[in-house]
Amino acid sequence: MNEEVEPPSLSSSVKEEIFVRVRREPFEYGLLPIPKLIFSDGTVTLGPLKDKLVEKASTSSYRIDADGISQVLNISTDYAHLVIQTLASVLPSSDFDPIPTQSNALTADVYHLILFLYIQSYKKLLPRTHKDSASVSDVWPSTSAFDGFVSFLSPLQLVRSNSRRFMPSQADEESHQLSYLQKHLANILSLLADSVDGEDEESLVLTLERFEHLGFLIQFGEKGSNRIPLSQAAPFFANSDPDMPAIPVPAGQVHDWILQNIEAALEHKISSKEGGSPVAADQDIPMADSGPSSCKGLSEGSQSFVEGISKTSVVKQASDLKGSSVKVLNCQDAVVYILAPLKYATVYGCSDATIVFGAIGKAVRVEHCERVQVITATKRITIANCRECVFYVGVNQRPLYLGDNHKLQVAPYNTFYSQLEEHLSQVGVDTTINKWNEPLVLGVVNPHDSLSHPAGVSDVQAESATCLNPDHFTNFVHQGLEEIRQALRDIQLEENRKRELSCALHVYFKDWLYASGNIRQLYCLHGD
């Protein structure tokens, strides 16, 4: 069983960055606030459900369609499709996207589905108070037209209250997720394992295929490098003969090895944070310093951040970003352009801002925002706890509205840039399908959040979005500008007269920039 093969040494100075890492995507984009999908009793309910799902699934591929999921979980077909689509959006590889059957129905792998259902019991880390609450209050207006109409101590007001709670750092979130897996690892492995020669725990074994399903939740790899396949990182299957079936491994052996790696990773995070090591990377842009000099993205690991931008503009191309995801956090009175092909994007805690994304191949999540315009082309989008926002979207799946939303408007995608078509093709967004006006609305209370909720709020009907008045719909990049430029090229004037006309237009344009306050955007774009 290749016992002589050692796992990656977590104490070795040569390989000190090869730690187990949580795949954050299932926890950030894969949680659905549907009560029938949340099993807080571990394997007590999920164990029998797994058996029923396996019975319903194809015996050759262990895949199940929406009808089978609907019957076993006792949920609507719409919810079953939502489960398959959400699961697909957080799988580690496009190879695992839903596979159509002969009837063109989408299917999901049963064991990925079981892991997906198990983590629905996860509760997110409590938002933290920003370290510079005084400067935050400066740029975040504390009241809005709806403050008198929102239920007291609703989740939205908690975030927008004077305490100014903010998103936990990436390092804190990952530690929280590692601790969750540490606590639930035995249950998770028992759901993936097969029982042989007995009924006790020692009879549980994991095949190579089932072991690799753990790649849905964890991964190995040095920071900034390609990820190591799970079977290669583990000592159990690393030297298996590719021409021979790998021998199943006792589940207890796998449990001990993963647990050891999780404990080492948690210890490393604690020591790195205490020692001020950049590995913990838990830095914010101070809000008081968020002027033109802060017009930059912050990158950490496999994702990029644009955080704390105020009264300015930011433009990011693909070459400016690291990894396959981006987070736009706590920006106010700003314009942010992320014109790149990415898998994931998050907008959190922004106010009076315009956020433009290029092509997002997996999922977009917009949460706790006020008076924000979001323009994006994506496969799926989730909007939670927002108010007075407008969404211009090209989206392949039904937009999902969660939580305490108020006065939202929605319209079709309304902009273009030269590489858009190329980026859409790269990430697999289908330009022939746009379900921008087919919302799917779930409940007000999100059981995944640790925030308290007022009594009776669960009875409140969640709000969807209304369609933007067509009279107010315009292209984000106005066609008039191109028409003026073309007219200048074609006009029949001597060159010196053309220059005079062009100079006059520039003078009027500059006057407008100063009068409207948009001159700051021009300065920022020039500096960027």
Side-chain angles (χ1 to χ4, degrees):
M1 199 181 294
N2 305 324
E3 291 183 357
E4 73 278 2
V5 180
E6 292 293 325
S9 173
L10 301 184
S11 59
S12 166
S13 59
V14 177
K15 297 183 178 180
E16 64 177 355
E17 286 195 0
I18 303 182
F19 289 95
V20 66
R21 297 177 183 274
V22 176
R23 285 195 67 251
R24 59 180 173 269
E25 292 85 2
F27 297 98
E28 293 184 3
Y29 300 94
L31 302 181
L32 295 172
I34 300 174
K36 287 186 178 180
L37 300 184
I38 299 171
F39 305 97
S40 56
D41 54 7
T43 58
V44 174
T45 303
L46 267 178
L49 282 177
K50 180 196 78 169
D51 296 336
K52 292 179 181 178
L53 289 167
V54 170
E55 288 176 9
K56 280 283 184 184
S58 164
T59 53
S60 59
S61 63
Y62 289 106
R63 300 190 71 88
I64 187 169
D65 62 15
D67 287 339
I69 293 173
S70 173
Q71 292 171 31
V72 174
L73 300 182
N74 193 26
I75 58 176
S76 69
T77 304
D78 279 350
Y79 279 3
H81 280 113
L82 176 63
V83 166
I84 292 178
Q85 292 169 346
T86 305
L87 171 59
S89 74
V90 295
L91 285 169
S93 168
S94 59
D95 295 340
F96 293 115
D97 277 349
I99 299 175
T101 62
Q102 289 183 346
S103 63
N104 209 31
L106 297 179
T107 64
D109 178 279
V110 164
Y111 290 96
H112 279 139
L113 176 60
I114 289 295
L115 295 178
F116 175 81
L117 292 174
Y118 193 95
I119 66 167
Q120 298 303 313
S121 65
Y122 175 79
K123 283 190 179 293
K124 295 179 181 178
L125 194 60
L126 274 170
R128 58 188 169 86
T129 303
H130 197 281
K131 61 187 177 184
D132 191 0
S133 57
S135 59
V136 170
S137 295
D138 250 7
V139 298
W140 273 87
S142 59
T143 60
S144 92
F146 286 88
D147 280 349
F149 299 94
V150 183
S151 302
F152 180 64
L153 287 183
S154 71
L156 184 58
Q157 282 183 311
L158 279 169
V159 172
R160 305 279 292 131
S161 67
N162 288 332
S163 64
R164 302 303 177 195
R165 296 178 183 274
F166 275 74
M167 204 173 188
S169 71
Q170 193 65 54
D172 288 341
E173 279 189 328
E174 187 169 340
S175 295
H176 186 60
Q177 291 158 6
L178 276 171
S179 297
Y180 172 84
L181 293 182
Q182 183 182 42
K183 177 181 177 182
H184 294 276
L185 183 61
N187 283 342
I188 289 170
L189 291 178
S190 71
L191 290 169
L192 294 177
D194 289 322
S195 180
V196 293
D197 298 329
E199 298 288 335
D200 57 4
E201 289 185 3
E202 294 184 1
S203 68
L204 294 178
V205 296
L206 280 168
T207 62
L208 171 60
E209 182 186 6
R210 300 282 175 78
F211 175 75
E212 287 180 332
H213 277 76
L214 290 170
F216 176 68
L217 297 174
I218 60 174
Q219 59 191 11
F220 284 84
E222 297 182 22
K223 188 175 181 181
S225 71
N226 292 328
R227 302 303 179 192
I228 301 171
L230 200 57
S231 58
Q232 293 182 23
F236 321 115
F237 304 106
N239 290 340
S240 296
D241 186 341
D243 298 323
M244 295 287 291
I247 301 173
V249 178
Q253 189 177 347
V254 176
H255 176 270
D256 293 344
W257 179 76
I258 296 178
L259 208 59
Q260 172 195 351
N261 280 267
I262 289 177
E263 289 169 355
L266 287 170
E267 289 174 7
H268 178 70
K269 285 180 174 296
I270 292 171
S271 61
S272 297
K273 199 166 186 178
E274 289 175 349
S277 166
V279 175
D282 184 13
Q283 303 297 318
D284 295 326
I285 299 177
M287 297 293 284
D289 297 332
S290 295
S293 62
S294 297
C295 293
K296 58 185 179 181
L298 298 179
S299 297
E300 176 190 353
S302 60
Q303 66 180 329
S304 298
F305 292 82
V306 175
E307 182 167 11
I309 302 301
S310 177
K311 302 183 187 304
T312 192
S313 298
V314 175
V315 177
K316 291 297 167 188
Q317 309 283 349
S319 59
D320 303 316
L321 304 170
K322 291 184 179 180
S324 59
S325 67
V326 66
K327 289 186 176 179
V328 180
L329 310 174
N330 308 327
C331 295
Q332 190 266 342
D333 192 15
V335 181
V336 178
Y337 301 84
I338 309 290
L339 306 181
L342 296 166
K343 290 183 179 178
Y344 300 97
T346 292
V347 182
Y348 185 97
C350 295
S351 165
D352 300 289
T354 297
I355 317 292
V356 183
F357 291 121
I360 310 297
K362 292 286 189 178
V364 174
R365 186 176 181 92
V366 185
E367 191 168 7
H368 291 303
C369 290
E370 253 188 32
R371 298 180 300 280
V372 167
Q373 293 187 72
V374 176
I375 302 170
T376 183
T378 180
K379 277 190 179 176
R380 61 184 288 106
I381 185 170
T382 298
I383 298 159
N385 302 319
C386 294
R387 53 180 167 178
E388 302 173 71
C389 297
V390 185
F391 299 90
Y392 298 89
V393 293
V395 59
N396 293 165
Q397 298 168 13
R398 297 176 65 184
L400 189 60
Y401 293 87
L402 310 177
D404 198 10
N405 295 304
H406 291 276
K407 296 297 181 181
L408 304 184
Q409 296 181 85
V410 65
Y413 189 71
N414 68 333
T415 193
F416 182 82
Y417 61 98
S418 59
Q419 294 175 294
L420 176 61
E421 291 179 350
E422 177 188 348
H423 290 172
L424 290 169
S425 176
Q426 285 180 30
V427 300
V429 173
D430 189 341
T431 57
T432 67
I433 299 173
N434 190 0
K435 299 193 175 184
W436 64 277
N437 61 343
E438 300 178 33
L440 186 57
V441 184
L442 298 185
V444 168
V445 174
N446 187 349
H448 303 298
D449 286 338
S450 300
L451 292 170
S452 59
H453 296 276
V457 75
S458 60
D459 299 328
V460 177
Q461 179 65 39
E463 277 191 29
S464 181
T466 59
C467 292
L468 183 72
N469 187 325
D471 293 339
H472 298 158
F473 182 85
T474 57
N475 289 330
F476 186 67
V477 178
H478 294 289
Q479 187 179 359
L481 176 61
E482 287 299 320
E483 291 174 350
I484 290 172
R485 293 174 65 181
Q486 188 60 45
L488 281 173
R489 296 189 194 102
D490 298 341
I491 195 169
Q492 299 298 317
L493 288 175
E494 296 177 0
E495 285 303 314
N496 63 329
R497 299 292 289 176
K498 277 190 178 182
R499 282 195 296 271
E500 289 176 6
L501 178 58
S502 179
C503 287
L505 288 172
H506 276 288
V507 168
Y508 283 116
F509 179 59
K510 191 174 181 180
D511 288 345
W512 174 82
L513 285 173
Y514 278 110
S516 64
N518 286 304
I519 189 68
R520 57 181 169 75
Q521 295 188 24
L522 188 64
Y523 286 143
C524 184
L525 290 173
H526 179 71
D528 197 63

